Amino acid sequence: MSTTAEAVVVGAGVIGASTALELARSGLRVTVVDRFGGAGNGSTSASSAVVRFTYPTVEGVTAAWESRHCWEAWRDHLGAPAGEPLASYIRCGVALLDVDVAPRALFTRHFDAVGVPYEEWDADELAARLPAVDTGRYWPPRPVDDDAFFADASGRLGALHTPDGGFVGDPRLAAANLAAAARRHGAAFLWNTRVTEVVRKGGRVRGVRLHDGTELSAPVVVNAAGPWSGRLNQLAGVGADFTVGLRPLRQEVHHVAAPPGYHGGGRRDGAEADAGAEGRGGAGSETRVGPVIADMDLGTYLRPEGRDFLLVGGTEPECDPLEWLDDPDDARPGPTASRFRAQVTRAARRLPGLRVPGRPRGVAGVYDVSDDWAPIYDRTGLDGFYVAIGTSGNQFKNAPLVGRLMATLVHGVEGGHDHDSHPLTHTCEHTGRDIGLGAFSRGRRLSETTGTVLG
């Protein structure tokens, strides 16, 4: 059996669904293949979906700032009809606590260039704004069983605050929204389907073969398979010219009760948190929640989950072993007691009012991690085979833009542009800024990043 399309996208997470939307919107007949039963059911469903702008490259800041505009105009971005349930963007602000390995100037120089508003808080201002937070400096992060973990603070921290940051309340719904929009433009989705072969002929991709023997013919294939992207690259025979490697990494995000004073405490003359106003993308009532806190000083991050809870994740501190996987299918589901205790105890050091439960609650997911924790959005050495991979747990926020970057790339290269020699440029709809796609090249020099999920 054989069917045809003009483009096949492998993976229906938030990146793949966005890519499918923009390719279909540009006029291509698109088919999406996904191993799960619905959009966003893989790594996307375990995302904390934080929207922040603290990237150490101007391209990263520009992409995140443009994407924030997409999230705030989510219904318009999708072209969704009135009444369709949509994911909501929660603008609660993001506070990056001071740490020497990621000084404020690493980000503010790009904020100034791109036009991202920010505030610089000293320790007293941080304490006034967020009274639930201990402003102590504890660097470097240590194992929670190390006596030094409980040593007195060596100083006090301030923070770099971006009032327009926040998070998307339901990441899986966001992917489903993108998939629904893609279907409105004619895209087809094949669920519970695996690719077993990348069909190629004469140095060009010709489509993919599926596990049931179906051959899906297409002159363009986009690898957006998340942690399975390395396996798909192997099937395609690409990667020899990549200067940036990829590996799956298992991670956990934990769910705890928010301590008193986290939400709505202190002065709020910066951002007002609002959730789900119709003009910002989805239906819902306004509420006020505390900010996202990025705390590399202790090796953790905190994100509100409604008014009563927090999500707690890690920032890969050097003292913690990383759980690299040879096969993403081997990832253990659910949180582990040891990781829960470590990450939540660190969070409790920063938030003295937080209590560490005796039983873990949370989710486990798998990051598709590149060597420099920056993504690869590029063509490959196999003509017609493209990649949107290496998202490293920090690209959910950029998904609305990534689809447009991939459409610019596909149409440019298929139209005869030599992207390897003269990288394409994408002009952002909302901010009008240009992004050079060479920054996301498979053959780039490794980017200077924090080497963590923070990019």
Short mmCIF file of all heavy atoms in Angstrom, two decimals, residues 12-15 17-18 21 38-47 49 71 74-75 77-78 80 83-90 168-184 189 191 276 280-284 303 396 399-400:
data_model
loop_
_atom_site.label_atom_id
_atom_site.label_comp_id
_atom_site.label_asym_id
_atom_site.label_seq_id
_atom_site.Cartn_x
_atom_site.Cartn_y
_atom_site.Cartn_z
N ALA A 12 4.27 14.50 16.61
CA ALA A 12 3.16 15.44 16.80
C ALA A 12 3.19 16.04 18.19
O ALA A 12 2.15 16.29 18.79
CB ALA A 12 1.82 14.76 16.54
N GLY A 13 4.42 16.26 18.71
CA GLY A 13 4.53 17.09 19.90
C GLY A 13 4.31 18.54 19.52
O GLY A 13 3.92 18.86 18.39
N VAL A 14 4.59 19.43 20.44
CA VAL A 14 4.31 20.84 20.17
C VAL A 14 5.16 21.37 19.01
O VAL A 14 4.70 22.22 18.24
CB VAL A 14 4.50 21.67 21.46
CG1 VAL A 14 5.98 21.80 21.84
CG2 VAL A 14 3.81 23.02 21.37
N ILE A 15 6.38 20.86 18.84
CA ILE A 15 7.24 21.30 17.73
C ILE A 15 6.74 20.72 16.41
O ILE A 15 6.61 21.44 15.41
CB ILE A 15 8.70 20.88 17.97
CG1 ILE A 15 9.26 21.55 19.25
CG2 ILE A 15 9.56 21.21 16.76
CD1 ILE A 15 9.43 23.04 19.15
N ALA A 17 3.72 19.56 15.68
CA ALA A 17 2.39 20.07 15.34
C ALA A 17 2.48 21.49 14.80
O ALA A 17 1.75 21.86 13.87
CB ALA A 17 1.48 20.01 16.57
N SER A 18 3.37 22.30 15.38
CA SER A 18 3.56 23.65 14.86
C SER A 18 4.13 23.63 13.45
O SER A 18 3.71 24.40 12.57
CB SER A 18 4.48 24.45 15.80
OG SER A 18 4.68 25.76 15.32
N LEU A 21 1.42 22.70 11.04
CA LEU A 21 0.53 23.82 10.79
C LEU A 21 1.11 24.78 9.77
O LEU A 21 0.44 25.18 8.81
CB LEU A 21 0.25 24.56 12.10
CG LEU A 21 -0.45 25.93 11.96
CD1 LEU A 21 -1.80 25.79 11.26
CD2 LEU A 21 -0.61 26.59 13.33
N GLY A 38 -2.26 10.73 20.28
CA GLY A 38 -2.76 12.09 20.13
C GLY A 38 -1.63 13.09 20.21
O GLY A 38 -0.50 12.76 20.60
N ALA A 39 -1.91 14.32 19.83
CA ALA A 39 -0.90 15.37 19.82
C ALA A 39 -0.42 15.69 21.23
O ALA A 39 -1.22 15.80 22.17
CB ALA A 39 -1.46 16.63 19.17
N GLY A 40 0.90 15.82 21.38
CA GLY A 40 1.47 16.23 22.66
C GLY A 40 1.50 15.15 23.71
O GLY A 40 1.72 15.46 24.89
N ASN A 41 1.31 13.89 23.34
CA ASN A 41 1.25 12.82 24.35
C ASN A 41 2.62 12.30 24.77
O ASN A 41 2.71 11.49 25.68
CB ASN A 41 0.42 11.65 23.82
CG ASN A 41 -1.06 11.93 23.87
OD1 ASN A 41 -1.49 13.04 24.16
ND2 ASN A 41 -1.86 10.92 23.57
N GLY A 42 3.70 12.76 24.12
CA GLY A 42 5.04 12.34 24.49
C GLY A 42 5.69 13.32 25.42
O GLY A 42 5.13 13.70 26.47
N SER A 43 6.88 13.79 25.07
CA SER A 43 7.63 14.70 25.94
C SER A 43 6.89 15.99 26.23
O SER A 43 7.02 16.57 27.31
CB SER A 43 8.99 15.01 25.31
OG SER A 43 9.79 13.86 25.23
N THR A 44 6.09 16.45 25.26
CA THR A 44 5.35 17.70 25.47
C THR A 44 4.49 17.63 26.72
O THR A 44 4.37 18.62 27.46
CB THR A 44 4.48 18.01 24.24
OG1 THR A 44 5.33 18.28 23.12
CG2 THR A 44 3.58 19.22 24.48
N SER A 45 3.89 16.48 26.98
CA SER A 45 2.97 16.36 28.11
C SER A 45 3.68 16.49 29.45
O SER A 45 3.03 16.77 30.47
CB SER A 45 2.23 15.01 28.05
OG SER A 45 3.13 13.93 28.20
N ALA A 46 5.00 16.30 29.47
CA ALA A 46 5.77 16.42 30.71
C ALA A 46 6.46 17.77 30.82
O ALA A 46 7.21 17.99 31.77
CB ALA A 46 6.80 15.30 30.80
N SER A 47 6.21 18.67 29.88
CA SER A 47 6.89 19.97 29.89
C SER A 47 6.32 20.88 30.97
O SER A 47 5.12 20.87 31.24
CB SER A 47 6.73 20.66 28.53
OG SER A 47 7.26 21.96 28.55
N ALA A 49 6.49 24.02 30.42
CA ALA A 49 5.92 25.03 29.52
C ALA A 49 6.21 26.46 29.97
O ALA A 49 5.37 27.34 29.81
CB ALA A 49 4.41 24.80 29.36
N TRP A 71 1.89 33.43 21.86
CA TRP A 71 1.10 32.86 22.96
C TRP A 71 0.04 33.83 23.44
O TRP A 71 -1.08 33.43 23.77
CB TRP A 71 2.01 32.46 24.13
CG TRP A 71 2.91 31.31 23.86
CD1 TRP A 71 4.28 31.31 23.83
CD2 TRP A 71 2.52 29.96 23.60
NE1 TRP A 71 4.76 30.06 23.56
CE2 TRP A 71 3.71 29.21 23.41
CE3 TRP A 71 1.29 29.30 23.50
CZ2 TRP A 71 3.69 27.84 23.13
CZ3 TRP A 71 1.27 27.94 23.23
CH2 TRP A 71 2.46 27.23 23.05
N TRP A 74 -3.00 33.74 21.06
CA TRP A 74 -3.05 32.34 20.68
C TRP A 74 -4.20 32.02 19.74
O TRP A 74 -4.04 31.31 18.75
CB TRP A 74 -3.11 31.47 21.93
CG TRP A 74 -2.85 30.00 21.76
CD1 TRP A 74 -3.61 28.99 22.26
CD2 TRP A 74 -1.75 29.37 21.08
NE1 TRP A 74 -3.05 27.76 21.95
CE2 TRP A 74 -1.91 27.97 21.23
CE3 TRP A 74 -0.65 29.86 20.38
CZ2 TRP A 74 -1.01 27.05 20.69
CZ3 TRP A 74 0.24 28.94 19.83
CH2 TRP A 74 0.05 27.56 19.98
N ARG A 75 -5.39 32.55 20.01
CA ARG A 75 -6.53 32.25 19.14
C ARG A 75 -6.28 32.79 17.73
O ARG A 75 -6.55 32.13 16.73
CB ARG A 75 -7.82 32.82 19.71
CG ARG A 75 -9.07 32.32 18.99
CD ARG A 75 -10.35 32.75 19.69
NE ARG A 75 -10.50 32.16 21.00
CZ ARG A 75 -10.94 30.93 21.24
NH1 ARG A 75 -11.30 30.15 20.22
NH2 ARG A 75 -11.06 30.48 22.47
N HIS A 77 -3.29 33.35 16.43
CA HIS A 77 -2.18 32.57 15.86
C HIS A 77 -2.70 31.30 15.19
O HIS A 77 -2.24 30.91 14.11
CB HIS A 77 -1.18 32.22 16.95
CG HIS A 77 -0.02 31.40 16.46
ND1 HIS A 77 1.09 31.96 15.88
CD2 HIS A 77 0.18 30.05 16.44
CE1 HIS A 77 1.94 31.01 15.51
NE2 HIS A 77 1.41 29.83 15.85
N LEU A 78 -3.66 30.67 15.85
CA LEU A 78 -4.20 29.41 15.35
C LEU A 78 -5.26 29.61 14.28
O LEU A 78 -5.55 28.68 13.52
CB LEU A 78 -4.82 28.63 16.51
CG LEU A 78 -3.90 28.23 17.67
CD1 LEU A 78 -4.74 27.79 18.85
CD2 LEU A 78 -2.93 27.13 17.25
N ALA A 80 -8.28 29.96 15.31
CA ALA A 80 -9.24 29.05 15.92
C ALA A 80 -10.62 29.70 16.01
O ALA A 80 -10.74 30.89 16.30
CB ALA A 80 -8.77 28.65 17.32
N GLY A 83 -15.06 29.59 20.78
CA GLY A 83 -15.60 28.44 21.49
C GLY A 83 -14.68 27.25 21.56
O GLY A 83 -14.89 26.35 22.39
N GLU A 84 -13.64 27.19 20.71
CA GLU A 84 -12.70 26.07 20.80
C GLU A 84 -11.85 26.24 22.05
O GLU A 84 -11.24 27.28 22.26
CB GLU A 84 -11.79 26.03 19.57
CG GLU A 84 -10.77 24.89 19.64
CD GLU A 84 -9.88 24.83 18.41
OE1 GLU A 84 -10.33 25.23 17.32
OE2 GLU A 84 -8.74 24.37 18.53
N PRO A 85 -11.80 25.24 22.93
CA PRO A 85 -10.98 25.36 24.15
C PRO A 85 -9.50 25.49 23.79
O PRO A 85 -8.98 24.70 23.00
CB PRO A 85 -11.25 24.05 24.90
CG PRO A 85 -12.53 23.52 24.32
CD PRO A 85 -12.54 23.96 22.88
N LEU A 86 -8.85 26.49 24.37
CA LEU A 86 -7.46 26.75 24.04
C LEU A 86 -6.60 26.78 25.30
O LEU A 86 -7.07 27.12 26.38
CB LEU A 86 -7.31 28.10 23.32
CG LEU A 86 -8.06 28.29 22.02
CD1 LEU A 86 -7.75 29.66 21.44
CD2 LEU A 86 -7.73 27.20 21.01
N ALA A 87 -5.33 26.43 25.11
CA ALA A 87 -4.36 26.59 26.20
C ALA A 87 -4.22 28.07 26.52
O ALA A 87 -4.31 28.93 25.63
CB ALA A 87 -3.01 26.01 25.78
N SER A 88 -4.00 28.38 27.78
CA SER A 88 -3.90 29.77 28.23
C SER A 88 -2.46 30.13 28.57
O SER A 88 -1.71 29.32 29.10
CB SER A 88 -4.75 29.98 29.49
OG SER A 88 -6.12 29.80 29.20
N TYR A 89 -2.11 31.36 28.24
CA TYR A 89 -0.81 31.89 28.63
C TYR A 89 -0.96 32.65 29.94
O TYR A 89 -1.75 33.58 30.05
CB TYR A 89 -0.24 32.81 27.55
CG TYR A 89 1.09 33.43 27.95
CD1 TYR A 89 2.15 32.60 28.32
CD2 TYR A 89 1.29 34.80 27.98
CE1 TYR A 89 3.35 33.12 28.72
CE2 TYR A 89 2.51 35.34 28.37
CZ TYR A 89 3.53 34.50 28.73
OH TYR A 89 4.73 35.02 29.13
N ILE A 90 -0.19 32.27 30.95
CA ILE A 90 -0.25 32.88 32.27
C ILE A 90 0.94 33.82 32.42
O ILE A 90 2.09 33.37 32.53
CB ILE A 90 -0.21 31.82 33.41
CG1 ILE A 90 -1.12 30.64 33.07
CG2 ILE A 90 -0.56 32.47 34.73
CD1 ILE A 90 -2.56 30.96 32.89
N VAL A 168 2.63 28.41 29.95
CA VAL A 168 1.40 27.95 29.30
C VAL A 168 0.78 26.90 30.20
O VAL A 168 1.45 25.92 30.59
CB VAL A 168 1.70 27.39 27.90
CG1 VAL A 168 0.44 26.79 27.27
CG2 VAL A 168 2.28 28.49 27.01
N GLY A 169 -0.48 27.07 30.53
CA GLY A 169 -1.09 26.27 31.57
C GLY A 169 -1.29 24.80 31.23
O GLY A 169 -1.30 23.96 32.13
N ASP A 170 -1.46 24.46 29.97
CA ASP A 170 -1.71 23.06 29.59
C ASP A 170 -0.92 22.76 28.32
O ASP A 170 -1.40 22.99 27.20
CB ASP A 170 -3.21 22.86 29.35
CG ASP A 170 -3.59 21.39 29.15
OD1 ASP A 170 -2.72 20.61 28.72
OD2 ASP A 170 -4.76 21.04 29.41
N PRO A 171 0.30 22.25 28.46
CA PRO A 171 1.14 22.04 27.26
C PRO A 171 0.55 21.03 26.28
O PRO A 171 0.69 21.20 25.06
CB PRO A 171 2.47 21.58 27.84
CG PRO A 171 2.18 21.13 29.23
CD PRO A 171 1.02 21.94 29.69
N ARG A 172 -0.08 20.00 26.78
CA ARG A 172 -0.65 19.01 25.86
C ARG A 172 -1.79 19.63 25.06
O ARG A 172 -1.91 19.39 23.85
CB ARG A 172 -1.17 17.80 26.64
CG ARG A 172 -1.68 16.68 25.74
CD ARG A 172 -2.22 15.51 26.52
NE ARG A 172 -1.20 14.89 27.34
CZ ARG A 172 -1.43 13.88 28.18
NH1 ARG A 172 -2.67 13.39 28.29
NH2 ARG A 172 -0.46 13.36 28.90
N LEU A 173 -2.60 20.46 25.70
CA LEU A 173 -3.67 21.14 24.98
C LEU A 173 -3.10 22.08 23.93
O LEU A 173 -3.66 22.21 22.84
CB LEU A 173 -4.57 21.90 25.96
CG LEU A 173 -5.73 22.69 25.34
CD1 LEU A 173 -6.65 21.78 24.53
CD2 LEU A 173 -6.51 23.43 26.43
N ALA A 174 -1.98 22.73 24.24
CA ALA A 174 -1.36 23.62 23.25
C ALA A 174 -0.98 22.85 22.00
O ALA A 174 -1.20 23.33 20.86
CB ALA A 174 -0.12 24.29 23.86
N ALA A 175 -0.41 21.65 22.16
CA ALA A 175 -0.07 20.83 21.00
C ALA A 175 -1.33 20.40 20.25
O ALA A 175 -1.36 20.39 19.01
CB ALA A 175 0.74 19.60 21.44
N ALA A 176 -2.37 20.05 21.01
CA ALA A 176 -3.63 19.67 20.37
C ALA A 176 -4.23 20.84 19.60
O ALA A 176 -4.81 20.66 18.52
CB ALA A 176 -4.61 19.15 21.41
N ASN A 177 -4.11 22.06 20.14
CA ASN A 177 -4.58 23.25 19.43
C ASN A 177 -3.87 23.41 18.10
O ASN A 177 -4.48 23.72 17.07
CB ASN A 177 -4.35 24.50 20.27
CG ASN A 177 -5.17 24.60 21.52
OD1 ASN A 177 -4.79 25.31 22.46
ND2 ASN A 177 -6.29 23.91 21.58
N LEU A 178 -2.55 23.23 18.10
CA LEU A 178 -1.77 23.34 16.87
C LEU A 178 -2.17 22.26 15.86
O LEU A 178 -2.28 22.53 14.66
CB LEU A 178 -0.28 23.26 17.18
CG LEU A 178 0.32 24.47 17.90
CD1 LEU A 178 1.64 24.11 18.56
CD2 LEU A 178 0.51 25.63 16.92
N ALA A 179 -2.38 21.04 16.35
CA ALA A 179 -2.78 19.95 15.46
C ALA A 179 -4.16 20.23 14.86
O ALA A 179 -4.38 19.99 13.65
CB ALA A 179 -2.78 18.62 16.21
N ALA A 180 -5.08 20.75 15.66
CA ALA A 180 -6.41 21.07 15.14
C ALA A 180 -6.33 22.16 14.07
O ALA A 180 -7.02 22.10 13.05
CB ALA A 180 -7.32 21.51 16.29
N ALA A 181 -5.47 23.14 14.31
CA ALA A 181 -5.28 24.20 13.32
C ALA A 181 -4.68 23.64 12.04
O ALA A 181 -5.07 24.03 10.92
CB ALA A 181 -4.40 25.31 13.89
N ALA A 182 -3.73 22.72 12.18
CA ALA A 182 -3.13 22.09 10.99
C ALA A 182 -4.18 21.32 10.20
O ALA A 182 -4.20 21.36 8.95
CB ALA A 182 -1.98 21.17 11.41
N ARG A 183 -5.07 20.62 10.90
CA ARG A 183 -6.13 19.88 10.21
C ARG A 183 -7.06 20.82 9.45
O ARG A 183 -7.54 20.49 8.36
CB ARG A 183 -6.92 19.03 11.21
CG ARG A 183 -6.21 17.74 11.61
CD ARG A 183 -7.14 16.79 12.34
NE ARG A 183 -7.52 17.33 13.63
CZ ARG A 183 -6.87 17.08 14.78
NH1 ARG A 183 -5.78 16.32 14.75
NH2 ARG A 183 -7.27 17.60 15.91
N ARG A 184 -7.31 22.00 10.02
CA ARG A 184 -8.16 22.96 9.31
C ARG A 184 -7.53 23.40 7.99
O ARG A 184 -8.23 23.84 7.07
CB ARG A 184 -8.43 24.18 10.19
CG ARG A 184 -9.45 23.93 11.29
CD ARG A 184 -9.93 25.21 11.93
NE ARG A 184 -8.91 25.87 12.71
CZ ARG A 184 -8.64 25.63 14.00
NH1 ARG A 184 -9.35 24.72 14.65
NH2 ARG A 184 -7.70 26.30 14.64
N PHE A 189 -3.32 13.27 10.12
CA PHE A 189 -2.54 12.74 11.24
C PHE A 189 -2.74 11.24 11.33
O PHE A 189 -3.88 10.75 11.29
CB PHE A 189 -2.96 13.40 12.56
CG PHE A 189 -2.47 14.81 12.71
CD1 PHE A 189 -3.10 15.85 12.02
CD2 PHE A 189 -1.38 15.11 13.51
CE1 PHE A 189 -2.64 17.16 12.14
CE2 PHE A 189 -0.91 16.41 13.64
CZ PHE A 189 -1.55 17.44 12.95
N TRP A 191 -2.05 8.29 13.89
CA TRP A 191 -1.70 8.05 15.29
C TRP A 191 -1.28 6.59 15.50
O TRP A 191 -1.60 5.71 14.70
CB TRP A 191 -2.89 8.37 16.19
CG TRP A 191 -3.40 9.77 16.03
CD1 TRP A 191 -4.65 10.15 15.60
CD2 TRP A 191 -2.70 10.99 16.31
NE1 TRP A 191 -4.75 11.51 15.59
CE2 TRP A 191 -3.59 12.05 16.01
CE3 TRP A 191 -1.41 11.28 16.76
CZ2 TRP A 191 -3.22 13.40 16.17
CZ3 TRP A 191 -1.04 12.61 16.92
CH2 TRP A 191 -1.93 13.65 16.62
N GLY A 276 -5.60 33.29 31.21
CA GLY A 276 -6.65 32.84 30.33
C GLY A 276 -7.63 33.88 29.86
O GLY A 276 -8.72 33.52 29.43
N ARG A 280 -5.92 36.86 25.44
CA ARG A 280 -4.59 36.28 25.58
C ARG A 280 -4.57 34.81 25.21
O ARG A 280 -3.63 34.12 25.52
CB ARG A 280 -4.08 36.48 27.01
CG ARG A 280 -3.84 37.94 27.31
CD ARG A 280 -3.27 38.11 28.71
NE ARG A 280 -3.11 39.52 29.01
CZ ARG A 280 -2.02 40.22 28.77
NH1 ARG A 280 -1.01 39.66 28.18
NH2 ARG A 280 -1.95 41.50 29.10
N GLY A 281 -5.64 34.33 24.62
CA GLY A 281 -5.52 33.02 24.00
C GLY A 281 -6.52 31.98 24.42
O GLY A 281 -6.76 31.05 23.71
N GLY A 282 -7.14 32.07 25.58
CA GLY A 282 -8.06 31.02 25.97
C GLY A 282 -9.06 31.54 26.97
O GLY A 282 -8.91 32.62 27.53
N ALA A 283 -10.11 30.76 27.20
CA ALA A 283 -11.12 31.18 28.14
C ALA A 283 -10.67 30.88 29.55
O ALA A 283 -9.98 29.92 29.82
CB ALA A 283 -12.43 30.45 27.84
N GLY A 284 -11.07 31.70 30.49
CA GLY A 284 -10.72 31.46 31.89
C GLY A 284 -10.93 32.70 32.70
O GLY A 284 -11.21 33.77 32.18
N ARG A 303 7.67 26.65 39.31
CA ARG A 303 6.63 27.20 38.45
C ARG A 303 5.28 27.03 39.09
O ARG A 303 4.95 25.93 39.56
CB ARG A 303 6.65 26.48 37.10
CG ARG A 303 5.95 27.24 35.99
CD ARG A 303 5.21 26.30 35.04
NE ARG A 303 3.89 25.94 35.53
CZ ARG A 303 3.03 25.18 34.85
NH1 ARG A 303 3.36 24.71 33.68
NH2 ARG A 303 1.83 24.89 35.37
N PHE A 396 9.87 24.51 24.28
CA PHE A 396 8.40 24.56 24.22
C PHE A 396 7.94 25.99 23.94
O PHE A 396 7.07 26.22 23.11
CB PHE A 396 7.79 24.06 25.54
CG PHE A 396 6.28 24.16 25.56
CD1 PHE A 396 5.51 23.05 25.26
CD2 PHE A 396 5.63 25.35 25.85
CE1 PHE A 396 4.12 23.14 25.24
CE2 PHE A 396 4.25 25.45 25.83
CZ PHE A 396 3.49 24.34 25.53
N ALA A 399 7.81 27.10 20.32
CA ALA A 399 7.13 26.26 19.34
C ALA A 399 6.33 27.05 18.30
O ALA A 399 6.38 26.71 17.12
CB ALA A 399 6.24 25.24 20.05
N PRO A 400 5.57 28.08 18.68
CA PRO A 400 4.81 28.80 17.64
C PRO A 400 5.69 29.36 16.54
O PRO A 400 5.30 29.38 15.37
CB PRO A 400 4.11 29.91 18.42
CG PRO A 400 4.06 29.44 19.84
CD PRO A 400 5.32 28.65 20.02
#
